[in-house]
Amino acid sequence: MNGSDHYVCFFLILKQKNTAIICEGRESSIDCPGGEMIHVLEANYGRLRRDTCKSRWIKNLDCKSAASYQIVKQACEGKTRCTLLASNDNFGDPCVRIPKYLEVKFSCYDQGKYALCKSEGTLNNENGGKEHSKYNN
């Protein structure tokens, strides 16, 4: 590529990170206010902490369903609201006889607000301003 070629990419302008916890067997919704969209950052169905969805039957604190992120992303990404059921039927059973929960970390974004970047390493935001980017291509 020569010096006049530009890369075009989009960066979502994300708001604060939110966390939703849904105990096994329960259903709950995650949503973003004012028509903003959900961007899934992380998800795990299993158990990583003793103090979440407490139970006296907790023996394993390294319980993760490898499919969690993809399942939640497919159900929620780009929507303003989605409903999730924390169950073995939906996510598999990563640790038999251990009470589990679904933990989803997500941010909200406004579909109309984004930043563009060029190969020179600058970001052009929606207001015409420029910010430096570490993505120099």
Side-chain angles (χ1 to χ4, degrees):
M1 297 193 122
N2 65 42
S4 64
D5 291 333
H6 297 283
Y7 296 97
V8 177
C9 55
F10 294 90
F11 292 90
L12 299 176
I13 299 173
L14 301 174
K15 308 274 173 110
Q16 71 183 39
K17 184 167 35 172
N18 302 293
T19 302
I21 303 285
I22 307 170
C23 298
E24 183 177 9
R26 304 258 172 116
E27 182 178 80
S28 188
S29 296
I30 61 173
D31 57 357
C32 290
E36 293 179 337
M37 309 291 201
I38 296 167
H39 176 62
V40 179
L41 301 168
E42 299 175 41
N44 182 56
Y45 177 71
R47 177 162 293 278
L48 299 174
R49 290 185 302 281
R50 186 172 304 282
D51 61 343
T52 302
C53 298
K54 292 183 179 182
S55 172
R56 60 185 175 147
W57 304 108
I58 299 170
K59 297 176 185 167
N60 181 353
L61 292 177
D62 188 26
C63 175
K64 302 174 188 174
S65 170
S68 302
Y69 175 75
Q70 287 297 71
I71 292 168
V72 173
K73 184 174 179 173
Q74 184 175 10
C76 301
E77 188 73 26
K79 297 180 180 177
T80 57
R81 179 184 182 94
C82 70
T83 301
L84 298 165
L85 173 62
S87 72
N88 294 336
D89 289 342
N90 288 344
F91 295 95
D93 192 351
C95 46
V96 178
R97 292 192 289 275
I98 300 294
K100 293 164 276 296
Y101 57 88
L102 175 62
E103 181 172 5
V104 179
K105 294 182 181 178
F106 67 99
S107 286
C108 299
Y109 68 95
D110 183 336
Q111 187 177 18
K113 293 188 177 180
Y114 57 88
L116 294 173
C117 66
K118 294 193 245 180
S119 63
E120 288 84 27
T122 59
L123 293 177
N124 296 319
N125 67 31
E126 72 277 7
N127 298 322
K130 290 189 176 185
E131 300 172 35
H132 181 69
S133 169
K134 64 181 177 183
Y135 299 100
N136 293 319
N137 294 319

